[in-house]
Amino acid sequence: MSSIYQELKHECYEANMQLNALNLVIYTFGNVSAVDREKEVFAIKPSGVPYEDLKPEDIVIIDFENNIIEGEMRPSSDTKTHAYLYKNWKEIGGVAHTHATYSVAWAQAQRDIPIFGTTHADHLTADIPCAPPMRDDLIEGNYEHNTGIQIQDCFRDKGLSYEEVQMVLIGNHGPFTWGKDAAKAVYNSKVLEEVARMAFLTLQINPEALRLKDSLIKKHYERKHGKNAYYGQK
Amino acid sequence: MSSIYQELKHECYEANMQLNALNLVIYTFGNVSAVDREKEVFAIKPSGVPYEDLKPEDIVIIDFENNIIEGEMRPSSDTKTHAYLYKNWKEIGGVAHTHATYSVAWAQAQRDIPIFGTTHADHLTADIPCAPPMRDDLIEGNYEHNTGIQIQDCFRDKGLSYEEVQMVLIGNHGPFTWGKDAAKAVYNSKVLEEVARMAFLTLQINPEALRLKDSLIKKHYERKHGKNAYYGQK
Amino acid sequence: MSSIYQELKHECYEANMQLNALNLVIYTFGNVSAVDREKEVFAIKPSGVPYEDLKPEDIVIIDFENNIIEGEMRPSSDTKTHAYLYKNWKEIGGVAHTHATYSVAWAQAQRDIPIFGTTHADHLTADIPCAPPMRDDLIEGNYEHNTGIQIQDCFRDKGLSYEEVQMVLIGNHGPFTWGKDAAKAVYNSKVLEEVARMAFLTLQINPEALRLKDSLIKKHYERKHGKNAYYGQK
Amino acid sequence: MSSIYQELKHECYEANMQLNALNLVIYTFGNVSAVDREKEVFAIKPSGVPYEDLKPEDIVIIDFENNIIEGEMRPSSDTKTHAYLYKNWKEIGGVAHTHATYSVAWAQAQRDIPIFGTTHADHLTADIPCAPPMRDDLIEGNYEHNTGIQIQDCFRDKGLSYEEVQMVLIGNHGPFTWGKDAAKAVYNSKVLEEVARMAFLTLQINPEALRLKDSLIKKHYERKHGKNAYYGQK
């Protein structure tokens, strides 16, 4: 049966299947959404469905006030966090959440991931932020909505731009990532996991390892994202 | 040839093959059983048979007093532990035992796995218990039966419910897990292994890492298992 | 073309291919041999041949004095070590050598692998020995032959039986393992690698981790290898 | 359409695909080139193209002054480093660059990789050098060209021969490797990654681990690369 959201559901489905193919999740631990800015809705994985059983038509369509617009299934339990991010950060096209091992380990350690090298600087110029645990009254309240606020507050407190820094760790929980579309959000989840693993190993080898110096951060970020970028095809 | 236990054997066979597919075992290191509460028997892997050679008809049927009810092969050397758990914990439908690497490492370190994050709290609200090594006279006695007692004692001493905490580490040995059926027991073995790996990495990154706070433990456990759970499909 | 060693070559070929399938080697890092005690020869991998190119007919037949009996190719550079072990340890049917990562790490650390758990005790009752580096004059001499002596000396100094302890680490080099046939030698290489990984993680989690107590070592070894063993099929 | 560089492009394409098959890269993180010494050009991966999309005809042909000789696509952003190495080190036939995890971790830790064992000594007799970070004015200048200078300076300062030591870590960045052809450069990237992982684990097990002694370094290097080498086929 046709739906005006068919293409959006398909984008969302494909991105969710990538989480699995990239070894970023086991079982049902993770979810990706994709937004349609014109229609002001997003498509998201249904809750608790194993990736091997997931079908494009299972994807649920939600508006920014968390109303189900289309779909038979219950959406991801993290849906309100996605809605909050789409509503407040206008340039985001996709959001991903995983429990990828090294990303979760840094989140559980409640540590920002220091920028130790060019792999990191190829993607962002700041340490990867770890948002502190939420206040108890917010946890007992509208938890997933408040997770959105928690992310936004963290970016405000640290003076970060969500357009440059497309990833965050939620203390004691795990990573959220985003990007221009759902595929880019998943890409950022994979990059984060790899950078988290490299940083872990770096500190094991040299507990006194220094952050990358500013000139190298700038050089690598600019050659990929700056005005005169020369990485990739035109 | 038909057997009244055919379905039970098949459930057990499938669950054992999952151990292998999920990279929880090498060679013959592990076993899963499935119970039939009405018939008061359980089906278990034969001892020392490689997973690639295992066939559903090899599965052995055992009663709660450890008598072989059906089957040509010798059952798993850990059979008496399974029997003890089925006999004493009436709500269990399946039991799994592995030598999965990170789970074994915590068991060898004789440490409970601290609850560091929501991945853990999505499944249970307590640290994953590590039962202390058995007394020498019990080891020299009915060892596998006594391993069952050791598990039960550990839960009594720590005030844990086997219905909530569906996993345990046996000090210096490895994990046992259980659940409503054999598939759930295997699921819990995989979750335990992943949580064990995350906790190991967390302590490497931050040796002073704190346990997850109570409000977050409660929130995550309740949203998946509480009266008003909203994780998964209805 | 037929050879009286065809079966032996095939056993050797299959065991070498297992090294690769079990992720114990990259490129050409490793070799397995299989002995024929009646004919007093063994079959061994040719030197430096990638596993994907290896064919059964490439396998070289060697006698215990290191003469090539059959085969066009140069045998493994470690051939004299194999010959020494076959000549001196009469009950060995196969020998394997790898550069598997965790085994090599313990060898490079020049540390015996402590017996921390039942996974280890299911296979042997002693710490896995690490032979100290060879004297300089022996290195400059008949190096691979002397590696055989080094292994034998290590077992004599530590009072170990090669029939029970079927594995050794050569300090700064890597593991040699053996067994009743080539397949068992490879099995022991895989078990060693897994035990090495578990022991590494155990010490990371608890640097004060204790060796498994004697009663448990005995219980686990005996239930698999003792007179009244009840592990596996009769 | 035929090109006089078809064979060179194919060699380059195959070597780049190996990077991916050997798990040395994720996404577009890495590049390999192959040189034609007679024509004084090299073939290199186009920038930012995923390996699954890469085709032999996408490969770009460059001369030693960094002019594009053939090809529609923008070459790797690291092209000038490759050009510098080909121009200055006349015996090199291929160059590879990756962001392989353990190699990067050592680079981020700014540590040479100590020669701890024979796996290392089978390939080179020195610690694997880590070039210190570049001066700020050089970073802001012709960065990728200067990376070539940085590598050459490092080898001069440490008294190393590029013909023996076919690998380097760039501090805070990652590895470059080379060899007689592109396939050998990739082989060296894989060996480096494995040696980096072994050395990391060695130091975790024994922080006081000693370098391999000179007699063993010499023995292992010579038996593979010396005048009377007896490793491999003639």
Side-chain angles (χ1 to χ4, degrees):
Chain A
M1 225 183 73
S2 98
S3 151
I4 58 166
Y5 304 113
Q6 212 156 335
E7 206 174 324
L8 188 64
K9 285 182 184 178
H10 196 75
E11 180 192 348
C12 175
Y13 167 77
E14 290 290 350
N16 274 285
M17 295 307 282
Q18 275 297 304
L19 276 196
N20 199 28
L22 291 165
N23 291 316
L24 292 169
V25 290
I26 59 165
Y27 295 115
T28 63
F29 298 15
N31 43 73
V32 191
S33 65
V35 82
D36 183 324
R37 286 285 170 192
E38 278 191 24
K39 301 197 181 76
E40 295 193 319
V41 297
F42 62 97
I44 193 163
K45 184 178 174 292
S47 184
V49 176
Y51 293 96
E52 60 270 29
D53 299 338
L54 190 64
K55 294 182 295 292
E57 56 266 33
D58 297 336
I59 301 296
V60 189
I61 303 296
I62 308 284
D63 71 15
F64 296 172
E65 306 308 323
N66 292 299
N67 301 300
I68 297 186
I69 301 302
E70 190 175 294
E72 304 292 310
M73 304 186 89
R74 194 142 68 168
S76 164
S77 55
D78 296 308
T79 296
K80 287 178 181 173
T81 311
H82 293 243
Y84 187 90
L85 294 177
Y86 285 128
K87 193 168 173 183
N88 287 278
W89 287 351
K90 308 294 187 193
E91 305 302 320
I92 291 179
V95 174
H97 171 54
T98 78
H99 285 231
T101 316
Y102 288 85
S103 305
V104 165
W106 282 92
Q108 293 189 159
Q110 292 194 31
R111 291 269 166 93
D112 295 354
I113 304 178
I115 182 166
F116 281 134
T118 62
T119 318
H120 188 139
D122 283 338
H123 297 91
L124 68 163
T125 66
D127 294 351
I128 296 164
C130 180
M134 215 181 274
R135 281 199 341 251
D136 283 0
D137 58 316
L138 296 176
I139 291 169
E140 282 148 30
N142 197 351
Y143 177 62
E144 290 81 6
H145 176 83
N146 293 340
T147 300
I149 297 179
Q150 187 190 15
I151 294 172
Q152 204 181 26
D153 284 356
C154 171
F155 270 59
R156 190 199 55 220
D157 292 351
K158 293 180 183 266
L160 300 173
S161 148
Y162 77 87
E163 291 184 73
E164 183 202 317
V165 179
Q166 303 187 342
M167 51 189 72
V168 72
L169 302 172
I170 308 292
N172 296 112
H173 187 162
F176 279 85
T177 62
W178 49 86
K180 70 176 161 48
D181 54 26
K184 187 66 193 298
V186 170
Y187 170 89
N188 282 328
S189 287
K190 181 70 177 178
V191 168
L192 167 52
E193 179 66 4
E194 184 63 14
V195 167
R197 197 174 156 220
M198 287 170 170
F200 159 72
L201 292 168
T202 300
L203 285 177
Q204 296 289 310
I205 296 170
N206 182 2
E208 311 300 324
L210 298 174
R211 288 176 87 251
L212 187 61
K213 62 182 183 170
D214 287 344
S215 54
L216 267 172
I217 293 176
K218 194 178 161 205
K219 180 68 196 179
H220 270 264
Y221 190 74
E222 295 291 326
R223 79 175 193 165
K224 215 164 166 179
H225 308 279
K227 228 184 344 187
N228 301 309
Y230 50 92
Y231 183 92
Q233 301 304 315
K234 270 157 278 194
Chain B
M1 223 184 74
S2 99
S3 152
I4 58 165
Y5 305 113
Q6 212 157 337
E7 205 173 325
L8 188 65
K9 285 182 183 177
H10 196 75
E11 180 192 347
C12 175
Y13 167 77
E14 290 290 349
N16 274 287
M17 295 308 281
Q18 275 297 305
L19 276 196
N20 200 30
L22 291 165
N23 291 315
L24 293 169
V25 290
I26 60 166
Y27 295 115
T28 63
F29 298 14
N31 45 72
V32 191
S33 65
V35 81
D36 183 324
R37 286 284 171 192
E38 278 190 23
K39 301 198 181 77
E40 296 192 317
V41 298
F42 62 97
I44 194 162
K45 184 176 175 292
S47 183
V49 175
Y51 293 96
E52 61 270 29
D53 299 339
L54 189 65
K55 293 182 296 292
E57 57 266 34
D58 297 337
I59 301 296
V60 188
I61 303 296
I62 308 283
D63 72 15
F64 297 172
E65 306 309 322
N66 292 300
N67 301 300
I68 298 186
I69 302 301
E70 189 175 295
E72 304 292 310
M73 304 184 90
R74 194 141 68 168
S76 165
S77 56
D78 296 307
T79 296
K80 288 179 182 173
T81 311
H82 293 245
Y84 188 90
L85 294 178
Y86 286 128
K87 193 167 174 184
N88 287 278
W89 288 349
K90 308 293 186 196
E91 306 301 319
I92 291 180
V95 173
H97 171 54
T98 79
H99 285 230
T101 316
Y102 288 85
S103 305
V104 166
W106 281 92
Q108 293 189 160
Q110 293 194 30
R111 291 270 165 93
D112 295 353
I113 303 179
I115 182 166
F116 281 135
T118 62
T119 317
H120 188 138
D122 283 338
H123 296 90
L124 67 162
T125 66
D127 293 351
I128 296 165
C130 181
M134 213 182 274
R135 279 197 343 249
D136 283 0
D137 58 316
L138 296 176
I139 292 169
E140 282 148 30
N142 197 351
Y143 176 62
E144 290 82 7
H145 176 83
N146 294 340
T147 300
I149 298 178
Q150 187 190 15
I151 294 172
Q152 206 181 23
D153 285 355
C154 171
F155 271 58
R156 190 199 55 220
D157 293 350
K158 292 180 183 265
L160 299 174
S161 148
Y162 77 86
E163 291 184 74
E164 183 201 316
V165 178
Q166 303 186 342
M167 51 190 71
V168 71
L169 302 173
I170 308 292
N172 295 112
H173 186 162
F176 279 86
T177 62
W178 49 87
K180 69 174 161 49
D181 54 25
K184 186 67 192 302
V186 170
Y187 170 89
N188 283 328
S189 287
K190 181 69 177 180
V191 167
L192 167 52
E193 180 66 3
E194 184 63 13
V195 167
R197 196 174 158 221
M198 287 171 170
F200 159 73
L201 291 167
T202 300
L203 284 177
Q204 296 289 309
I205 296 170
N206 182 3
E208 311 300 322
L210 298 174
R211 288 177 86 252
L212 188 62
K213 61 182 183 170
D214 287 343
S215 54
L216 267 171
I217 293 176
K218 192 177 164 207
K219 179 69 196 177
H220 269 264
Y221 190 74
E222 295 291 325
R223 79 176 192 165
K224 217 165 165 178
H225 307 279
K227 226 183 345 188
N228 301 308
Y230 49 93
Y231 184 93
Q233 301 303 315
K234 270 159 280 194
Chain C
M1 226 183 71
S2 98
S3 152
I4 56 165
Y5 305 113
Q6 213 157 335
E7 206 173 325
L8 188 65
K9 285 181 183 179
H10 196 74
E11 179 192 348
C12 175
Y13 167 78
E14 291 289 351
N16 274 286
M17 295 308 281
Q18 275 297 305
L19 277 195
N20 200 28
L22 292 165
N23 291 316
L24 293 170
V25 290
I26 60 167
Y27 294 115
T28 62
F29 297 15
N31 44 73
V32 191
S33 65
V35 82
D36 183 324
R37 286 285 170 191
E38 277 190 25
K39 300 197 181 76
E40 296 193 317
V41 297
F42 61 98
I44 194 163
K45 183 176 174 292
S47 183
V49 175
Y51 293 96
E52 60 269 30
D53 299 338
L54 190 65
K55 293 183 296 291
E57 57 266 35
D58 298 337
I59 302 295
V60 189
I61 303 295
I62 308 283
D63 71 15
F64 297 171
E65 306 308 324
N66 292 300
N67 302 300
I68 298 186
I69 302 302
E70 189 175 294
E72 304 292 311
M73 305 185 89
R74 193 142 69 170
S76 165
S77 56
D78 297 308
T79 296
K80 287 179 184 174
T81 311
H82 293 244
Y84 188 90
L85 294 177
Y86 286 127
K87 193 167 175 184
N88 287 278
W89 288 350
K90 307 294 185 195
E91 304 303 319
I92 291 181
V95 173
H97 171 55
T98 79
H99 285 230
T101 317
Y102 288 84
S103 306
V104 166
W106 281 92
Q108 292 189 161
Q110 291 193 32
R111 291 269 165 95
D112 294 353
I113 303 179
I115 182 166
F116 281 134
T118 62
T119 318
H120 188 138
D122 282 338
H123 296 90
L124 68 163
T125 67
D127 293 352
I128 296 164
C130 180
M134 213 182 275
R135 280 198 343 250
D136 284 1
D137 58 316
L138 296 176
I139 292 169
E140 281 148 30
N142 197 351
Y143 176 62
E144 290 83 5
H145 176 83
N146 293 341
T147 300
I149 297 178
Q150 188 190 14
I151 294 172
Q152 205 180 24
D153 285 355
C154 171
F155 270 59
R156 191 200 53 221
D157 293 350
K158 293 180 184 265
L160 301 174
S161 148
Y162 77 86
E163 291 184 74
E164 183 201 317
V165 179
Q166 302 186 344
M167 50 190 72
V168 71
L169 302 173
I170 308 292
N172 296 112
H173 187 163
F176 277 85
T177 62
W178 49 87
K180 70 175 161 47
D181 55 25
K184 186 67 192 301
V186 171
Y187 170 89
N188 284 328
S189 287
K190 180 69 176 179
V191 167
L192 167 53
E193 180 66 3
E194 184 63 13
V195 167
R197 197 174 157 220
M198 287 171 170
F200 159 73
L201 292 168
T202 300
L203 285 177
Q204 296 290 309
I205 296 170
N206 182 1
E208 310 300 324
L210 297 175
R211 288 177 87 252
L212 188 61
K213 61 182 183 170
D214 286 343
S215 54
L216 268 172
I217 294 176
K218 194 179 162 204
K219 179 69 195 178
H220 269 264
Y221 190 74
E222 294 291 327
R223 79 175 192 164
K224 218 167 164 177
H225 306 279
K227 227 184 342 185
N228 301 309
Y230 50 93
Y231 184 93
Q233 302 303 315
K234 271 158 277 194
Chain D
M1 225 185 71
S2 99
S3 152
I4 57 165
Y5 305 114
Q6 213 157 333
E7 205 174 325
L8 189 65
K9 285 181 183 180
H10 196 75
E11 179 193 348
C12 176
Y13 167 78
E14 290 289 350
N16 274 286
M17 295 308 282
Q18 275 298 304
L19 275 196
N20 199 30
L22 292 166
N23 291 316
L24 293 169
V25 290
I26 60 166
Y27 294 115
T28 62
F29 297 14
N31 44 72
V32 190
S33 65
V35 82
D36 182 324
R37 286 284 170 192
E38 276 190 26
K39 301 195 181 76
E40 296 193 318
V41 297
F42 62 98
I44 194 163
K45 183 176 175 291
S47 183
V49 175
Y51 294 95
E52 60 270 30
D53 299 340
L54 190 64
K55 294 184 296 292
E57 56 265 36
D58 297 337
I59 301 296
V60 189
I61 303 295
I62 308 283
D63 72 14
F64 297 171
E65 306 309 322
N66 291 299
N67 302 300
I68 297 186
I69 301 302
E70 189 175 294
E72 304 292 311
M73 304 185 90
R74 193 141 68 169
S76 165
S77 56
D78 297 308
T79 295
K80 287 180 183 173
T81 311
H82 294 244
Y84 188 89
L85 294 177
Y86 285 127
K87 193 167 173 182
N88 287 278
W89 288 350
K90 308 293 186 196
E91 304 302 319
I92 290 180
V95 173
H97 170 54
T98 79
H99 285 231
T101 316
Y102 288 84
S103 306
V104 166
W106 282 92
Q108 293 190 159
Q110 291 193 32
R111 291 270 164 93
D112 294 353
I113 303 179
I115 181 165
F116 282 134
T118 62
T119 318
H120 188 138
D122 282 338
H123 296 90
L124 67 163
T125 66
D127 293 351
I128 296 165
C130 181
M134 213 182 276
R135 280 200 341 252
D136 283 1
D137 58 316
L138 295 177
I139 292 169
E140 282 148 30
N142 197 351
Y143 175 63
E144 290 81 5
H145 176 82
N146 292 341
T147 300
I149 297 178
Q150 186 190 14
I151 293 171
Q152 205 180 25
D153 285 356
C154 170
F155 270 60
R156 191 200 54 222
D157 292 351
K158 293 180 184 264
L160 300 173
S161 148
Y162 77 86
E163 292 184 74
E164 182 202 316
V165 179
Q166 303 187 343
M167 51 189 72
V168 72
L169 302 172
I170 308 292
N172 296 113
H173 187 161
F176 278 85
T177 62
W178 49 87
K180 70 176 162 45
D181 54 27
K184 186 67 191 299
V186 170
Y187 170 89
N188 283 328
S189 287
K190 181 70 178 179
V191 167
L192 167 51
E193 180 66 4
E194 185 62 13
V195 167
R197 196 174 158 219
M198 287 171 170
F200 159 73
L201 292 168
T202 300
L203 284 177
Q204 296 288 310
I205 296 169
N206 182 2
E208 312 299 326
L210 297 175
R211 288 178 87 251
L212 188 61
K213 61 181 183 171
D214 287 344
S215 54
L216 268 172
I217 294 176
K218 193 178 162 207
K219 179 68 195 178
H220 270 263
Y221 190 75
E222 294 292 325
R223 79 175 192 165
K224 216 165 166 178
H225 307 280
K227 226 184 343 184
N228 301 310
Y230 49 93
Y231 183 93
Q233 302 303 317
K234 271 157 277 193

